[in-house]
C-alpha cells in the first residue's frame, strides 16, 4: 500500500547555505512539497571569504519555475535576525529551520591560526545559535517548530586536520541536545544529522568519484521527515549518506565503584581496575543527564551513609557492629533467555527429559526460568563484597558455604536487568570460625522486589572475637521426617557438570582446576553447592508442582558434604501441606549432601500431583499389585529392560500417571524419577482394564485410536510379559 505523501502546505522553511549542495537539495524538496522557502546563501567561497547573490537567486528561480514559493536572503548566518525577518516579511511566519551553512579552514593543529579557529566557530556554532535564537520566540508563540542541526563525523569522531571544524560541529550537538529539552513543552523539536554527501566542503577530503557518487538527494529524505508534523522524535543524532540512515546513541561501560568506606582512593586502584572500567561487554545507554549522574549520585549517597555507619561502629570497636555497618554498592545483572537456558543445562536439564523445551527453547509457549536461578544475580553481589567487610578478617580460601535461603516475590522474567543490594545481617562467633549471614535484596528496573537471598558462610579461623553464638536473623531449617519419603528422584550428574555450571558466574577454580582443588584438600574438583541446590529444586518442582515454576515461593537448604561431578544425586521428598521437605544424597556413597531443606509452594499440590494412586480409578489396584510383584520378582527386569510411562485418562483428562521402571524393577505413581520414559502410553481407565482383562487386543486399541503410544513404539510389545492377558 502506498503511504500518503509528506506535505508542507502552509509551512515556512528557512534553509541556510542553500545555494549549493545539500542546502539546495533541502530547499528544492521542501518547495516541491508545498512549503514556502527562504533560500539563504552568503555567496562566498568554501573558506568563508567573498559574497554574492547568484547562488541563492538560481535556487529561487528554479523553485518558482516549478510553481513553488521562495525568496532569497544573502546575509551571513551571524546576522540571524535578518534571516528570520525575511521569512516573516514575505510569508508571515517561521516553522522550520535547517542550519546547513558552513565553511572549512582545514589545517593540522600546529598550523591553525586564531583567525582560522575563530571564523569556523563564528559560522558554524555562533551562526547556528544566532539563527535558531531569532526563530525561537516565534516558534514558542505559535506552539510549533522544527529545527534541524547539522554536525559532522569529524565532530563526532574527530579527524586529522579539522580540529577547528570538529570542535564547532560537536558544539552544535550539545546545543541541539539542550534545545530539544527546552523546546519539547512548546512542540519545538530539535534533531541533528551528520550527513555525508558530495558538496563543495567534502571535495577537500574526498575523491571526485566519491563526491559524484554521494548525491545530496540521498540525504534530504531524513531532513524532510524530521521536519514534518508526523515526526515526534527530538534530541536525535543521525548519520546519513548514500541512502543509508542510522541513529546514534551514547554507550557507557557498566563501570566499577573503586571508592571504599573511609579509605583513600588512589591512581593505583584505577590502574589495577582498568580492564573493568573499560569493559564494554556489559553496558548502559544513558539518554539524559539524569541517566548520567543518577548512578553516581546514588552511589555517592550510599557511600556517605556507609562511611558514617562505619565510623560510628569503629568508635565502639565492636567487630560485629563494624561488619553490619558495611554497605556495598548495588550490583546490576543483565540476562537474556540464553543465560537462563545455560543455567538450566548447568543444573542438569537435558533433552532426554520430557519437559526440557520449557527450559531450553526460548520459543516454547511455556518457556520458564528455573526458580533457583534467583541466586545468580545475588551471587555476583556477594563476590564483589566478600573480603571488604570491616571488623572480620576473611581469608577467601577458607570460606565454606553453609546454608542458602531464596525467596521469589514473583516468577523470574525470561530476561531482564536486575539490581541487588548487599548487607551483613549478622556475624556469629563459633570459636573455630565466624558464621556470617548476608542478606541480598534484588529488584527489577521498576524497583519492584524480585528476590531475597540469605547466604550463610563459615569462615574457618575467624572466630574467638567475643561475638554472639546465635542470631534471630537466620532463616531456620526444618527437621527431616523419620518416615519413608513420599517421593524421590535420582539423577546422575555429568562429569562436566561443574565446568558447565561455572559458566553461570561462579568461576571459583576449586570447581575446575585439579591443582587448586588439591590445595583445598580435595582429590579432584568438586561440584558447586549451588549446582546441587539447583538439581534438588528441579526434582521437587517436577515431583510436586508438575514443573509449574510459578508455584515456587521459597527454598532453604544446608550444605553438608561436597559432591563430585559424575556422581548420582537422590532427592528424597516429604509433603507437608504447601511445604515440601527434602534432603539430597549421593547414591554412590550414601552421604547426605543437603539436609534440613524445604521448598514452600504458593498452593498445596493437587491430589493428582502428590499421589496418583489416590484417584478413584479401577486401574489403581492393578498398578499397586504390579508394584508389589516387581519387588518380589526381580527377574521381570531381565524380560523388559525399559522405562514405561502410563497416562491414565478419565473424563477427557489425565487422572493418574504411573511409571514402570523395569531397569530398576520398580512400579510407582508419577513420572519417571530417573531419566525419561522410553515409551509413553496414554489411554482411558476403561481401555486399560479392557486390555488387561483380555476384552480388547492392544494392537486393535492402538489402531482404533483408543491407545496412544509415543517414543519407542516397539517396546510396547514387551509389556505382554508384565500384562499377560494383554496382547500388545
Amino acid at each position: 500500500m502506498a503511504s500518503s505523501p509528506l506535505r508542507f502546505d502552509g509551512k515556512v522553511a528557512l534553509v541556510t547555505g542553500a545555494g549549493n549542495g545539500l542546502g539546495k537539495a533541502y530547499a528544492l524538496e521542501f518547495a516541491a512539497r508545498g512549503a514556502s522557502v527562504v533560500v539563504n546563501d552568503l555567496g562566498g567561497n568554501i573558506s568563508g571569504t567573498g559574497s554574492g547573490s547568484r547562488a541563492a537567486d538560481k535556487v529561487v528561480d528554479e523553485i518558482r519555475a516549478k510553481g513553488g514559493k521562495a525568496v532569497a536572503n544573502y546575509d551571513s548566518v551571524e546576522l540571524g535576525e535578518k534571516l528570520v525577518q525575511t521569512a516573516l516579511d514575505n510569508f508571515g511566519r517561521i516553522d522550520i529551520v535547517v542550519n546547513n551553512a558552513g565553511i572549512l579552514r582545514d589545517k593540522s593543529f600546529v598550523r591553525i591560526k586564531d583567525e582560522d579557529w575563530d571564523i569556523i566557530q563564528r559560522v558554524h556554532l555562533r551562526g547556528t545559535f544566532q539563527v535558531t535564537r531569532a526563530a525561537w520566540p516565534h516558534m514558542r508563540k505559535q506552539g510549533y517548530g522544527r529545527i534541524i542541526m547539522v554536525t559532522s563525523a569529524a565532530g563526532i569522531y574527530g579527524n586529522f586536520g579539522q580540529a577547528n571544524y570538529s570542535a564547532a560541529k560537536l558544539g552544535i550537538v550539545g546545543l541541539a541536545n539542550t534545545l530539544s529539552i527546552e523546546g519539547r513543552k512548546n512542540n519545538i523539536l530539535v534533531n541533528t544529522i551528520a550527513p555525508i554527501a558530495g558538496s563543495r566542503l567534502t571535495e577537500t577530503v574526498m575523491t571526485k568519484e566519491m563526491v559524484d557518487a554521494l548525491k545530496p538527494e540521498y540525504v534530504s529524505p531524513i531532513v524532510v521527515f524530521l521536519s514534518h508534523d508526523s515526526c515526534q522524535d527530538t534530541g536525535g543524532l543521525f548519520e546519513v549518506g548514500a541512502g543509508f540512515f542510522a541513529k546514534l546513541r551514547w554507550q557507557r561501560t557498566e563501570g566499577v565503584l573503586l571508592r571504599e568506606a573511609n579509605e583513600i582512593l588512589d591512581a593505583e586502584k584505577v590502574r589495577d581496575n582498568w580492564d573493568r572500567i573499560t569493559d564494554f561487554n556489559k553496558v548502559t545507554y544513558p539518554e539524559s543527564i539524569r541517566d548520567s549522574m543518577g548512578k553516581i549520585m546514588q552511589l555517592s549517597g550510599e557511600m556517605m551513609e556507609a562511611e558514617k555507619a562505619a565510623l560510628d561502629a569503629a568508635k565502639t570497636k565492636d567487630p560485629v557492629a563494624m561488619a553490619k555497618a558495611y554497605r556495598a554498592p548495588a550490583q546490576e545483572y543483565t540476562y537474556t533467555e540464553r543465560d537462563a537456558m545455560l543455567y538450566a543445562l548447568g543444573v542438569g536439564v537435558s533433552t532426554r527429559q520430557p519437559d526440557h523445551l520449557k527450559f531450553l527453547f526460548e520459543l516454547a509457549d511455556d518457556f520458564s526460568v528455573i526458580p533457583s536461578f534467583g541466586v545468580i544475580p545475588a551471587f555476583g553481589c556477594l563476590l564483589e563484597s566478600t573480603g571488604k567487610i570491616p571488623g572480620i578478617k576473611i581469608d577467601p580460601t577458607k570460606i565454606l558455604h553453609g546454608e542458602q535461603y531464596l525467596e521469589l516475590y514473583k516468577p523470574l522474567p525470561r530476561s531482564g536487568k536486575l539490581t541487588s543490594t548487599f548487607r551483613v545481617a549478622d556475624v556469629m562467633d563459633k570459636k573455630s570460625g565466624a558464621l556470617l549471614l548476608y542478606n541480598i535484596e534484588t529488584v527489577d528496573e521498576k524497583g519492584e522486589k524480585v528476590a531475597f537471598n540469605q547466604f550463610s558462610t563459615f569462615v574457618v579461623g575467624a572466630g574467638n572475637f567475643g561475638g554472639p553464638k546465635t542470631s534471630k536473623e537466620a532463616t531456620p531449617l526444618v527437621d527431616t521426617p523419620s518416615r519413608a519419603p513420599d517421593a524421590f528422584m535420582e539423577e546422575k550428574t555429568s562429569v562436566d557438570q561443574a565446568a558447565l555450571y561455572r559458566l553461570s558466574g561462579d568461576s571459583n577454580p576449586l570447581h575446575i582446576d585439579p591443582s587448586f582443588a588439591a590445595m583445598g584438600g580435595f582429590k579432584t574438583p568438586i561440584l558447586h553447592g549451588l549446582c546441587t541446590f539447583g538439581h534438588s529444586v528441579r526434582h521437587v518442582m517436577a515431583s510436586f508442582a508438575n514443573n509449574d515454576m510459578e508455584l515456587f515461593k521459597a527454598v532453604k537448604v544446608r550444605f553438608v558434604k561436597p559432591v563430585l561431578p559424575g556422581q548420582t544425586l537422590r532427592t528424597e521428598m516429604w509433603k507437608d501441606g504447601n511445604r515440601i521437605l527434602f534432603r539430597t544424597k549421593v547414591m554412590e556413597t550414601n552421604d547426605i549432601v543437603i539436609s534440613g531443606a524445604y521448598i514452600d509452594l504458593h498452593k498445596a499440590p493437587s491430589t493428582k500431583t502428590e499421589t496418583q494412586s489416590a484417584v478413584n480409578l479401577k486401574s489403581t489396584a492393578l498398578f499397586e499389585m504390579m508394584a508389589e510383584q516387581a519387588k518380589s520378582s526381580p527377574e521381570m527386569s531381565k524380560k523388559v529392560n525399559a522405562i514405561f510411562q502410563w497416562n491414565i485418562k478419565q473424563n477427557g483428562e489425565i487422572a493418574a500417571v504411573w511409571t514402570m521402571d523395569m531397569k530398576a524393577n520398580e512400579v510407582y505413581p508419577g513420572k519417571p524419577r530417573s531419566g525419561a520414559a522410553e515409551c509413553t502410553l496414554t489411554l482411558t481407565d476403561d481401555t486399560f482394564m479392557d486390555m488387561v482383562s483380555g476384552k480388547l487386543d492392544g494392537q486393535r486399541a492402538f489402531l482404533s485410536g483408543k491407545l496412544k503410544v509415543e517414543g519407542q513404539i516397539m517396546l510396547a510389545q514387551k509389556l505382554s510379559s508384565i500384562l499377560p492377558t494383554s496382547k500388545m
Side-chain angles (χ1 to χ4, degrees), residues 507-526:
S507 55
N508 188 335
L510 176 68
H511 305 292
I512 192 70
D513 185 347
S515 60
F516 200 91
M519 292 172 58
F522 300 101
K523 294 181 179 180
T524 62
I526 62 174

Side-chain angles (χ1 to χ4, degrees), residues 612-624 626 646-658 681-696 701 706-708 723:
Q612 307 291 343
S613 60
V615 182
N616 185 22
L617 299 173
K618 290 176 284 186
S619 58
T620 299
L622 186 58
F623 277 111
E624 291 176 344
M626 287 189 288
W646 292 84
N647 297 329
I648 307 300
K649 301 180 73 173
Q650 191 175 61
N651 298 324
E653 295 184 357
I654 295 177
V657 176
W658 284 86
L681 303 97
T682 302
L683 68 172
T684 67
D685 187 49
D686 289 337
T687 299
F688 179 82
M689 295 307 296
D690 286 345
M691 287 173 55
V692 297
S693 66
K695 293 181 180 179
L696 178 63
K706 291 184 177 182
L707 169 65
K708 182 180 178 182
L723 308 173

Side-chain angles (χ1 to χ4, degrees), residues 4-15 18 20-39 59-60 62-64 66-70 96 98 148 215-228 245:
S4 59
L6 300 176
R7 296 292 300 174
F8 291 85
D9 302 292
K11 294 292 192 293
V12 177
L14 164 61
V15 183
N20 295 280
L22 285 166
K24 177 182 176 181
Y26 305 152
L28 293 175
E29 190 65 23
F30 279 125
R33 293 174 178 270
S36 300
V37 183
V38 176
V39 179
V59 176
V60 170
E62 185 173 344
I63 291 173
R64 290 176 176 173
K66 296 178 180 178
K69 299 176 183 179
I96 300 163
V98 181
I148 307 300
K215 295 181 180 180
E217 289 78 8
Y218 295 149
V219 173
S220 56
I222 195 170
V223 174
V224 169
F225 176 63
L226 290 173
S227 302
H228 196 262
F245 305 92

Side-chain angles (χ1 to χ4, degrees), residues 479-664:
D479 294 329
T480 302
S482 58
R483 71 178 192 274
D486 297 327
F488 67 89
M489 183 175 288
E490 296 174 3
E491 184 174 8
K492 185 175 178 61
T493 64
S494 165
V495 293
D496 298 317
Q497 203 72 58
L500 186 56
Y501 181 83
R502 70 189 302 270
L503 300 180
S504 289
D506 188 347
S507 55
N508 188 335
L510 176 68
H511 305 292
I512 192 70
D513 185 347
S515 60
F516 200 91
M519 292 172 58
F522 300 101
K523 294 181 179 180
T524 62
I526 62 174
L527 195 61
H528 307 70
L530 287 176
C531 181
T532 305
F533 167 83
H535 277 77
S536 300
V537 170
R538 280 185 42 243
H539 294 169
V540 174
M541 296 305 291
S543 299
F544 287 93
N546 198 29
N547 273 336
D548 183 354
M549 300 302 157
E550 293 188 0
L551 293 180
F552 177 92
K553 181 180 180 183
V555 58
K556 170 73 179 185
V557 305
R558 169 182 283 167
F559 300 108
V560 181
K561 286 188 176 183
V563 178
L564 299 181
Q567 289 184 323
T568 304
L569 298 175
R570 175 186 170 102
T571 304
E572 299 176 339
M573 298 162 268
W574 294 263
K575 181 182 177 298
D576 183 11
N578 287 24
R579 175 167 286 184
I580 310 302
L581 314 179
F582 70 93
R583 70 182 175 197
T584 305
K585 294 180 176 180
V586 168
M587 292 295 292
E588 288 80 359
T589 62
N590 205 36
D591 288 337
I592 295 173
V593 293
I594 285 180
S595 69
Y598 64 85
I599 283 181
D600 284 335
L601 301 175
H602 283 292
K603 63 180 181 180
S606 66
T607 305
K608 295 178 187 178
T609 305
E610 68 177 84
T611 56
Q612 307 291 343
S613 60
V615 182
N616 185 22
L617 299 173
K618 290 176 284 186
S619 58
T620 299
L622 186 58
F623 277 111
E624 291 176 344
M625 182 187 70
M626 287 189 288
E628 292 299 321
Q629 184 181 359
K631 293 178 183 179
S632 59
S633 304
E635 67 276 5
M636 288 175 63
S637 62
K638 297 178 182 179
K639 299 178 181 178
V640 186
N641 187 27
I643 301 175
F644 299 89
Q645 178 177 316
W646 292 84
N647 297 329
I648 307 300
K649 301 180 73 173
Q650 191 175 61
N651 298 324
E653 295 184 357
I654 295 177
V657 176
W658 284 86
T659 293
M660 288 183 176
D661 187 346
M662 295 296 97
K663 293 182 177 180

Side-chain angles (χ1 to χ4, degrees), residues 150-160 162 165-170 173 192-197 202 205-206 237-240 248:
V150 180
T151 185
S152 166
I156 300 170
Y157 308 109
N159 192 36
F160 184 87
Q162 291 189 306
Y165 181 72
S166 298
K169 283 302 188 183
L170 194 57
V173 175
T192 306
I193 64 168
I196 299 177
T202 54
V205 292
M206 292 183 182
L237 173 60
F238 303 88
E239 284 188 326
V240 296
L248 277 70

Side-chain angles (χ1 to χ4, degrees), residues 165-205:
Y165 181 72
S166 298
K169 283 302 188 183
L170 194 57
I172 289 172
V173 175
L175 174 63
N177 289 342
T178 294
L179 293 185
S180 70
I181 297 170
E182 294 187 14
R184 186 189 296 272
K185 65 180 179 181
N186 296 115
N187 194 27
I188 304 173
L189 308 186
V190 184
N191 288 284
T192 306
I193 64 168
I196 299 177
S199 69
R200 294 189 304 164
L201 299 189
T202 54
E203 285 175 353
T204 63
V205 292

